[in-house]
Amino acid sequence: MKFWQSSHTFQHPWPTVTQAFWRKYPNDFQSSVYGTDVIDRFVDSDGKLHSKRIIISDWNIPSFMKFFFGETRGYALEYSVVDPVEQTLTLRSQNINAASMFAMREEISYKSVGETTKLDHEAKFLFSVHSIVDNRAENWMWGTLTEAAGKGLMAMETITQKVEAEMQSALSAIDDMSVETLRSVDNFASDARKSIDSSICDARKSIDSSICDAEKFIDSSINDAEKFIDSSMDSLSSDSVNRVNFSR
């Protein structure tokens, strides 16, 4: 049995790196990985996301091993847990097929460290094919795992940058929407003020016109009343003179 380990620090926050992790396969750097298939996923009472996936890949085994393995396509079972509170993503995986001749277990963790994310990757593997090939096969696996891990880091960095660009684009779109919304609100408020001012002006004109008409009506009524009174007084004076003349 051989042990392998590696670590790396991503200069990106944990939420961004974990988004990139779920979008890792397929990628341009690891063409040997065909893809993944989620077979179970749930959130527990503590808010942790549990996932179980099948990872399908091409082992690209050397010629001296093909006689024993035959099938070159590999299937691994991956079990992961995402803790959004502690900001950790931990996963374990193990090969499913060829388990009687070969066993490989991996443990990987992504942990938030300030504005960065720490990756720890450990693996142990054992071949039990034949004493003639076991040690040679384990050395091959060591080199293969080291190369695959390096390609995996390049893929993660590329995808992480893509995620950040998408997030920045989304934020810019939101900012543009906010500016446009504020502009629309300002225009609406300006139009409302203009409408209110116009209504007030019209109301004032209507009130002034009504007052003016009322004043004219009152003046006219007063004039009519004065004329009526004067006419009545003249009539009374005439009647009084007539009565005096008649009495004589």
Side-chain angles (χ1 to χ4, degrees), residues 14-248:
W14 181 83
T16 306
V17 174
T18 51
Q19 284 189 54
F21 169 79
W22 294 115
R23 296 168 57 176
K24 185 177 180 181
Y25 301 117
N27 64 72
D28 296 334
F29 299 93
Q30 295 172 296
S31 57
S32 60
V33 180
Y34 298 124
T36 63
D37 187 10
V38 178
I39 58 177
D40 188 28
R41 178 166 285 168
F42 66 92
V43 177
D44 65 18
S45 58
D46 294 326
K48 298 178 182 178
L49 174 66
H50 298 252
S51 301
K52 189 180 292 185
R53 302 192 298 175
I54 297 292
I55 311 296
I56 308 168
S57 62
D58 189 337
W59 282 343
N60 293 322
I61 58 177
S63 57
F64 74 89
M65 294 173 57
K66 289 182 180 179
F67 174 79
F68 301 97
F69 283 83
E71 174 65 51
T72 61
R73 177 169 292 193
Y75 300 87
L77 180 64
E78 175 195 89
Y79 176 70
S80 63
V81 180
V82 178
D83 187 339
V85 177
E86 296 297 329
Q87 293 199 320
T88 58
L89 165 60
T90 58
L91 61 96
R92 302 189 308 271
S93 65
Q94 180 172 341
N95 62 297
I96 299 174
N97 59 329
S100 61
M101 296 178 289
F102 161 66
M104 177 175 174
R105 296 183 179 88
E106 289 184 271
E107 293 186 4
I108 300 174
S109 68
Y110 295 86
K111 184 176 182 180
S112 176
V113 182
E115 292 300 313
T116 66
T117 304
K118 178 71 179 301
L119 164 66
D120 289 312
H121 187 175
E122 296 181 356
K124 52 185 178 182
F125 41 91
L126 173 67
F127 283 84
S128 54
V129 178
H130 193 281
S131 57
I132 298 176
V133 299
D134 285 351
N135 188 63
R136 187 178 176 185
E138 288 175 359
N139 290 336
W140 165 80
M141 177 56 70
W142 179 281
T144 299
L145 187 56
T146 300
E147 181 182 2
K151 292 181 177 179
L153 289 178
M154 288 189 290
M156 284 291 291
E157 285 288 354
T158 300
I159 299 169
T160 299
Q161 292 173 12
K162 183 178 179 181
V163 170
E164 287 185 333
E166 291 174 351
M167 292 175 65
Q168 186 60 45
S169 177
L171 290 173
S172 296
I174 292 173
D175 288 341
D176 291 342
M177 290 174 62
S178 299
V179 171
E180 187 62 31
T181 300
L182 289 173
R183 194 173 292 141
S184 298
V185 170
D186 288 341
N187 291 338
F188 176 79
S190 178
D191 291 342
R193 290 192 195 98
K194 290 178 181 178
S195 178
I196 292 171
D197 290 343
S198 177
S199 297
I200 292 173
C201 183
D202 291 342
R204 284 174 177 168
K205 289 180 180 178
S206 178
I207 292 171
D208 290 342
S209 177
S210 297
I211 292 173
C212 183
D213 291 342
E215 288 176 344
K216 289 179 179 179
F217 176 76
I218 292 170
D219 290 341
S220 177
S221 298
I222 291 173
N223 288 334
D224 290 343
E226 288 177 344
K227 288 179 181 179
F228 176 76
I229 292 171
D230 290 341
S231 176
S232 298
M233 291 297 293
D234 290 342
S235 178
L236 288 173
S237 297
S238 178
D239 288 345
S240 297
V241 171
N242 290 333
R243 285 196 194 98
V244 170
N245 291 333
F246 178 77
S247 63
R248 288 178 181 177

Side-chain angles (χ1 to χ4, degrees), residues 4-19:
W4 179 95
Q5 64 179 8
S6 175
S7 62
H8 177 77
T9 299
F10 293 96
Q11 300 302 315
H12 309 281
W14 181 83
T16 306
V17 174
T18 51
Q19 284 189 54

